[in-house]
Amino acid sequence: MGIIQTSKLVFEYIRRDEEGNVEGITRAVDEVDIDVQPGQFIAILGHNGSGKSTLAKHINAILFPTEGTVWVDGMDTGDETKIWDIRQRAGMVFQNPDNQIIGQVVEEDVGFGPENMGIPTKEIWERVKESLKAVGMYEFRKHSPNKLSGGQKQRVSIAGVIAMHPKCIILDEPTAMLDPNGRKEVIRAVRALNDVEKVTAVLITHYMEEIIYADKVFVMDKGHIEMEGTPREIFSQVDKLKSLRLDVPQVTLLAHELKKSGLDIPEGILTIKELTEALEDLRRS
Amino acid sequence: MLRDITLGQYYQSDSVIHRLDPRVKLSGTIIFIISLFVVNNFIGYAIAGLFLAWVIKVSKVPFRFMVKGMKSIVMLLVITVVFNLFLTPGEAVVTVWKLKITKEGIEIAVKMAIRLVFLIIGSSVMTLTTTPNNLTDGLESLMKPFKIFHVPVHEVAMMMAIALRFIPILLEETDKIMKAQIARGADFESGNLVKKAKSLVPLLVPLFISAFRRANDLAMAMEARCYRGGEHRTKMKPLQYKKRDGLAYLTVFLYLAVCILGGRILPGLFMAP
């Protein structure tokens, strides 16, 4: 069994009118089965309202399934006695950097999780130090979070999760509110964590450029998993992605159009370097 | 414009007073305030004044910062002095129309003014030398005994800490909403008080909505990081008394003793028949 596993996961939002009568039921997540192996870098892609954030909140036991089961590191999230263990194993980073930083000083915020877990003071300091170093924010430890940039704040949030020593980290659109530089900083930090510390990463996003490093990509639409595979497999189906209203990276799109108009280049080109190499090969032959 | 507001009035400096445990400073301030109400002669006030001057000197905070705090109580001060001057019965010194200033009135007014000024300066010394964070920690620790009476001490302290963290964010947001509305022709500047107050309504509504949304997000983020109240929680920066804190307590109690002696007992002995 993988570190995160869902089986026939269904989640329904119940909309009520002012008197509390049920107005309608929305299926945000519909029969989703995913299986994530330890150490993997997973990306979940989807348009707004595709259910990807709802799915993410199930992994951290913030939401509970209407039907089906979620297991995190072998523990069923429906088991109330395990809820704090699950939240410690599966840390979560949210979208808005301002709304998840609790401390008034960077180091205090990173220490918040370990404090809640009842870690002895001395070890909290060690954990804070190593996690701030892991995201490259150690020199900012005495700063006020209000004075940091969006990307830096998000890295602090990631450090706050790492300090709890989770086995996997779920990032719910961590870059949605950031500028391109901030986005790069955050993605670099996540990749470093995944590479060096072997923390399983689940990145939820709607930016295509961010998923090219993933081991596996799930594309969600209307609560279903529509596509599943490596980034290359996903990106070779440009037309299907377009029908799901997802933007394809420009290089991939260019390569796709070139191929359609008769050039002999491979499908699923992800980077500018790959395309130039493919074109060079073509010219030589 | 709104971002310029700073909350709390911490003055960064490196002095013994700054390094003292917040609990010492809190209890010290309370003792100082008590001492002001225990003494009721000018010897006592002189002792209090000297002590205060010495603390300010040690704290390395420029005196003008203390005076800043006074601005807010000028009105209160004036009203107290005027009422005491005119409404204390006794031997008249000056009579203006039906009002008379009495000798007793002058004495009480001056004492009241001294008390108020010392009280404000005394508490500014504490707020100027303690970060809001430390202050919250100190309060939480000092209030711990009230847990027996089911006072949610940890929760209140956590609320204070979160409020402190979000004040600059909400101020920034207010600024943003204000600008967005000014850009669409809203007018916050002109008109009388009622009109100005009314023009704030379209500002407050979006601000409240956003504050609630933020609160919701923050609660979720805190839960996701295993927050479950004060039980089983350890501290990253636990408060620990050091040698200097003991000395500070000693100094404060010594001061209180001298104050009571000079301001209450000694004059009584001399004046006794």
Side-chain angles (χ1 to χ4, degrees), chain A residues 99 101 104 109 116 119, chain B residues 133 165 214 225 233-234:
Chain A
N99 295 357
I101 294 182
Q104 292 183 72
D109 184 69
N116 290 335
I119 309 287
Chain B
N133 256 345
R165 149 107 182 89
R214 278 178 196 281
R225 280 161 80 184
R233 205 161 178 271
T234 44

Side-chain angles (χ1 to χ4, degrees), chain A residues 3-27:
Chain A
I3 185 144
I4 301 166
Q5 194 172 19
T6 69
S7 137
K8 297 242 176 296
L9 171 65
V10 174
F11 184 78
E12 288 169 343
Y13 278 112
I14 299 171
R15 277 176 291 128
R16 290 175 194 276
D17 61 12
E18 277 160 20
E19 275 104 46
N21 302 316
V22 178
E23 244 182 4
I25 294 172
T26 316
R27 263 196 180 202

Side-chain angles (χ1 to χ4, degrees), chain B residues 8-249:
Chain B
Q9 29 174 352
Y10 181 63
Y11 179 86
Q12 177 72 48
S13 174
D14 185 41
S15 75
V16 189
I17 307 276
H18 282 77
R19 281 194 300 267
L20 280 182
D21 191 291
R23 288 171 291 183
V24 179
K25 286 188 261 189
L26 273 166
S27 0
T29 310
I30 293 167
I31 291 172
F32 181 71
I33 291 172
I34 292 172
S35 79
L36 288 179
F37 288 91
V38 168
V39 300
N40 58 357
N41 66 3
F42 289 103
I43 304 171
Y45 291 133
I47 297 169
L50 278 175
F51 178 72
L52 193 58
W54 174 72
V55 171
I56 292 172
K57 184 144 191 319
V58 174
S59 77
K60 291 184 191 163
V61 180
F63 187 70
R64 64 195 157 87
F65 281 90
M66 315 278 166
V67 184
K68 261 189 193 167
M70 301 289 303
K71 276 186 198 156
S72 51
I73 61 142
V74 167
M75 269 318 274
L76 183 72
L77 200 63
V78 169
I79 293 171
T80 326
V81 168
V82 168
F83 271 75
N84 276 313
L85 270 183
F86 289 104
L87 298 179
T88 318
E91 187 186 332
V93 182
V94 187
T95 316
V96 187
W97 183 49
K98 275 186 187 168
L99 300 166
K100 52 180 183 184
I101 297 176
T102 60
K103 204 179 158 198
E104 287 81 359
I106 294 174
E107 199 186 323
I108 291 179
V110 170
K111 279 184 180 169
M112 261 325 214
I114 293 176
R115 263 183 197 164
L116 269 175
V117 169
F118 278 8
L119 197 142
I120 295 296
I121 294 182
S123 29
S124 329
V125 172
M126 177 187 70
T127 50
L128 280 163
T129 57
T130 321
T131 58
N133 256 345
N134 262 330
L135 214 57
T136 322
D137 279 355
L139 271 176
E140 181 179 357
S141 169
L142 278 183
M143 304 277 277
K144 235 172 218 161
F146 290 99
K147 264 193 184 155
I148 312 166
F149 307 114
H150 298 286
V151 178
V153 177
H154 166 78
E155 283 73 10
V156 171
M158 180 56 90
M159 264 154 58
M160 275 171 66
I162 290 174
L164 284 170
R165 149 107 182 89
F166 273 84
I167 281 167
I169 294 175
L170 288 178
L171 277 180
E172 203 175 313
E173 186 134 321
T174 317
D175 206 22
K176 242 188 246 167
I177 299 172
M178 238 172 160
K179 275 180 186 149
Q181 302 208 357
I182 289 172
R184 283 180 282 161
D187 182 8
F188 295 107
E189 307 291 328
S190 64
N192 57 15
L193 209 62
V194 179
K195 199 172 164 244
K196 266 189 191 164
K198 267 188 184 163
S199 72
L200 283 181
V201 172
L203 185 71
L204 289 178
V205 172
L207 190 67
F208 265 82
I209 292 174
S210 129
F212 277 115
R213 193 167 296 147
R214 278 178 196 281
N216 196 16
D217 279 7
L218 186 75
M220 194 153 68
M222 284 169 77
E223 279 203 340
R225 280 161 80 184
C226 294
Y227 180 71
R228 56 198 124 159
E231 301 287 308
H232 314 295
R233 205 161 178 271
T234 44
K235 285 249 172 204
M236 184 180 176
K237 296 176 177 171
L239 293 175
Q240 270 165 344
Y241 280 128
K242 300 219 168 61
K243 204 179 154 200
R244 56 167 176 261
D245 299 311
L247 285 175
Y249 269 129

Side-chain angles (χ1 to χ4, degrees), chain A residues 127-221:
Chain A
R127 285 185 178 207
V128 168
K129 194 173 161 186
E130 62 173 45
S131 24
L132 277 172
K133 279 189 171 157
V135 296
M137 288 295 290
Y138 187 61
E139 58 270 45
F140 292 95
R141 63 190 182 282
K142 299 279 180 202
H143 285 230
S144 153
N146 294 330
K147 299 216 166 91
L148 301 178
S149 75
Q152 289 172 329
K153 280 184 212 167
Q154 260 337 21
R155 273 149 69 198
V156 171
S157 305
I158 294 173
V161 169
I162 307 168
M164 295 166 70
H165 289 183
K167 287 197 172 169
C168 65
I169 170 166
I170 301 127
L171 301 111
D172 186 1
E173 300 199 51
T175 57
M177 300 180 77
L178 307 182
D179 57 13
N181 276 333
R183 288 217 294 269
K184 270 185 210 142
E185 278 171 32
V186 170
I187 296 301
R188 208 177 298 138
V190 175
R191 282 183 63 206
L193 266 185
N194 180 249
D195 276 353
V196 182
E197 318 269 331
K198 304 288 171 231
V199 180
T200 314
V202 178
L203 174 68
I204 290 159
T205 182
H206 58 256
Y207 289 112
M208 289 289 192
E209 311 85 75
E210 291 172 1
I211 67 164
I212 56 179
Y213 307 105
D215 297 313
K216 197 172 181 187
V217 181
F218 294 97
V219 181
M220 283 189 77
D221 187 54

Side-chain angles (χ1 to χ4, degrees), chain B residues 250-264:
Chain B
L250 203 68
T251 317
V252 170
F253 280 110
L254 214 64
Y255 154 76
L256 186 67
V258 171
C259 242
I260 293 173
L261 209 67
R264 198 104 212 195

